Amino acid sequence: MDWGGVRRARQLAGLYLVAFAGLWGGLACVLAAQLTGVKQLALGGFVFSGSVITMFVLASALRDHVPPPTGRLAAMSSNSTRAYRRLTVGVELGRAWRVLVK
């Protein structure tokens, strides 16, 4: 994505990095709670849910800055969907970090 043309890019990049950590950290807590039976770890589900909602909002905000589709499947999906996939998989971690520390 082109983070340079995004309004308030630093704030969005910081929010993205926190949401990405919460997404996978919350999932790890939920899985650990299921494996160990420690009920307090299940609170990671709230962190996970909040992170998913944040990723959805970020994908909607950044949908105009997604690079053009390269494959047939990507061409059939919307810009919001492609942005959500790029954000949740972590493709944008390096770019977001560079925008944040710049």
Side-chain angles (χ1 to χ4, degrees), residues 22 25-31 33 40-52:
L27 182 62
C29 284
V30 169
L31 292 175
Q40 289 85 359
L41 287 175
L43 292 176
F46 292 114
V47 175
F48 176 78
S49 299
S51 296
V52 168

Side-chain angles (χ1 to χ4, degrees), residues 36-101:
T36 62
V38 178
K39 301 225 185 275
Q40 289 85 359
L41 287 175
L43 292 176
F46 292 114
V47 175
F48 176 78
S49 299
S51 296
V52 168
I53 293 168
T54 303
M55 289 287 193
F56 178 74
V57 170
L58 282 172
S60 296
L62 297 171
R63 68 179 171 249
D64 295 331
H65 302 284
V66 179
T70 56
R72 182 179 58 88
L73 292 176
M76 293 187 317
S77 61
S78 68
N79 282 350
S80 295
T81 302
R82 288 198 328 272
Y84 182 79
R85 288 177 187 159
R86 290 178 67 89
L87 293 172
T88 55
V89 172
V91 174
E92 296 297 322
L93 283 174
R95 290 179 189 98
W97 180 255
R98 283 190 294 275
V99 167
L100 189 65
V101 297

Side-chain angles (χ1 to χ4, degrees), residues 2-18 58 62 95-102:
D2 178 25
W3 287 82
V6 178
R7 246 179 63 205
R8 290 186 256 175
R10 288 184 69 145
Q11 289 86 359
L12 291 177
L15 182 63
Y16 167 59
L17 293 172
V18 170
L58 282 172
L62 297 171
R95 290 179 189 98
W97 180 255
R98 283 190 294 275
V99 167
L100 189 65
V101 297
K102 182 177 161 182

